Amino acid sequence: MSGEKLTPSSGASSGSVDVVKGINGLDKVVLRDPRGSSAEVYLYGAHVTSWKNDHGEELLFVSNKAIFKPPKPIRGGIPICFPQFSNLGPLDGHGFARIRFWSIDNNPPPLQTNTSSMTFVDLILKPSEEDARVWPHSYEYRLRVALGPAGELSLTSRVRNTNADGKPFSFTFAYHTYFSVSDISEVRVEGLETLDYLDNLQHRERFTEQGDALTFESEVDKIYLSTPTKIAILDHEKKRTFVVRKEGLPDAVVWNPWDKKAKAMADFGDEEYKFMLCVEAASIEKPIALKPGEEWRGRLELSAVPSSYCSGQLDPHKVLHGI
């Protein structure tokens, strides 16, 4: 399969879509936009491990100690948490989708989105016997990973209940995105002020965020509820703002392990917490319920734009409100 060119149905003609061998011989799909941006997604976990802008700068964080060896999940990039977020249920943490081998879907059902200027690949996951023992449901999970003309990265998930026995099922979900930042102490997050959140460091007790933008000086692990469709992550040092746009994903997780937890993780460098921040588009508080034949769609779009200064501060309003 190495070096295979995909059929046109799996990628727009303007860019290139190739399957090559990645770390430890695992197959990965490389998307390249003609303007210079790129993305890489491993078939193991449908896991996006790279997203670069047109200058070749890496925008996602992947740990130097990440283990690309099934059945271990890959530390960094964009893991997919399905059908369970964290330990909120009977399955292993974050479910099984991120540690399964997905297939390239060369003939997916139509996705109502403008893909004429996009370079993309469609992947599919169906239940294995092993999965059915722990989560006894029939489903089809389709994922489209796409690069847009401005270098934006989008992930569109479609989960369909294909149970023949008439039974509904429900699940929780997250795109567990690790952003690469220059210095966590110089980063702030806009768009989550005044919202309620569940604090995972305090037994998921519910609190209300105060009025200011989020900044970071210690471990954080929060699930924000009923969040806006747009969140901005401002990296002062790089003068870069990440814009997270999401559909069908009402919650947002913000996570940084800080020093003690970083040292406790075998697949994470002791000092790497300084160079990453997870801001995750998610559906956690209210599980998504599907009857047979029903389909859920959840979309994430990431873009990176230069930050502008205003009165000595980065001005996120231009980003958040599209000014």
Side-chain angles (χ1 to χ4, degrees):
M1 196 160 152
S2 180
E4 175 190 344
K5 288 277 184 186
L6 296 185
T7 59
S9 64
S10 293
S13 56
S14 58
S16 68
V17 184
D18 299 291
V19 182
V20 300
K21 292 294 180 189
I23 296 169
N24 290 335
L26 295 171
D27 287 315
K28 69 178 179 181
V29 181
V30 180
L31 306 174
R32 287 188 185 88
D33 182 85
R35 298 158 198 85
S37 61
S38 67
E40 297 182 0
V41 54
Y42 276 75
L43 296 187
Y44 178 59
H47 197 129
V48 176
T49 55
S50 177
W51 169 42
K52 292 179 180 175
N53 63 18
D54 54 6
H55 301 298
E57 294 173 296
E58 182 56 67
L59 303 172
L60 298 178
F61 166 88
V62 174
S63 173
N64 289 325
K65 292 193 169 183
I67 301 163
F68 286 76
K69 208 170 200 177
K72 297 280 187 189
I74 299 166
R75 173 70 68 187
I78 311 180
I80 289 172
C81 305
F82 171 86
Q84 177 182 299
F85 176 78
S86 187
N87 58 357
L88 294 171
L91 305 178
D92 289 340
H94 289 328
F96 47 71
R98 65 184 183 150
I99 54 171
R100 291 293 177 264
F101 283 94
W102 294 54
S103 304
I104 291 169
D105 188 2
N106 282 320
N107 193 25
L111 181 57
Q112 288 179 329
T113 178
N114 177 23
T115 57
S116 60
S117 59
M118 288 186 169
T119 304
F120 62 90
V121 66
D122 288 290
L123 304 177
I124 186 167
L125 180 69
K126 293 183 179 181
S128 66
E129 286 181 21
E130 184 183 354
D131 298 337
R133 281 197 289 273
V134 294
W135 201 66
H137 302 292
S138 180
Y139 66 89
E140 287 178 349
Y141 184 155
R142 286 183 162 85
L143 175 72
R144 173 168 292 179
V145 180
L147 270 178
E152 68 274 24
L153 176 70
S154 65
L155 284 77
T156 306
S157 290
R158 292 182 285 174
V159 176
R160 179 175 292 276
N161 181 337
T162 56
N163 275 337
D165 57 9
K167 287 183 181 170
F169 64 66
S170 61
F171 60 93
T172 50
F173 178 91
Y175 292 115
H176 196 318
T177 309
Y178 288 71
F179 292 95
S180 173
V181 299
S182 51
D183 180 350
I184 187 62
S185 64
E186 296 291 320
V187 169
R188 59 187 241 242
V189 176
E190 301 254 345
L192 301 175
E193 309 87 275
T194 73
L195 298 183
D196 284 2
Y197 65 87
L198 308 177
D199 194 334
N200 288 320
L201 303 179
Q202 299 194 52
H203 311 291
R204 295 203 175 93
E205 200 177 326
R206 192 177 184 121
F207 298 93
T208 301
E209 190 61 64
Q210 300 311 303
D212 295 334
L214 274 63
T215 55
F216 302 92
E217 51 194 32
S218 60
E219 182 184 358
V220 62
D221 191 353
K222 297 175 178 178
I223 302 169
Y224 289 85
L225 309 172
S226 302
T227 58
T229 57
K230 207 184 281 188
I231 301 165
I233 304 159
L234 292 81
D235 188 335
H236 291 245
E237 206 167 296
K238 279 219 170 82
K239 297 185 174 61
R240 173 189 291 151
T241 297
F242 290 110
V243 185
V244 178
R245 292 180 177 87
K246 55 194 184 62
E247 299 167 22
L249 297 158
D251 305 323
V253 181
V254 178
W255 179 70
N256 183 292
W258 223 254
D259 52 349
K260 281 186 185 156
K261 203 152 279 182
K263 288 185 173 75
M265 291 190 283
D267 60 350
F268 194 91
D270 290 357
E271 302 293 314
E272 286 186 328
Y273 72 92
K274 296 173 182 174
F275 310 113
M276 55 70 65
L277 176 65
C278 286
V279 176
E280 312 167 29
S283 188
I284 298 167
E285 185 189 27
K286 294 173 184 162
I288 297 150
L290 292 179
K291 294 173 185 163
E294 285 186 334
E295 182 177 272
W296 167 82
R297 177 175 155 177
R299 188 170 185 272
L300 170 68
E301 183 185 285
L302 307 177
S303 52
V305 296
S307 302
S308 56
Y309 276 86
C310 177
S311 308
Q313 295 290 318
L314 290 163
D315 184 2
H317 296 288
K318 291 182 179 177
V319 171
L320 286 172
H321 303 297
I323 297 168

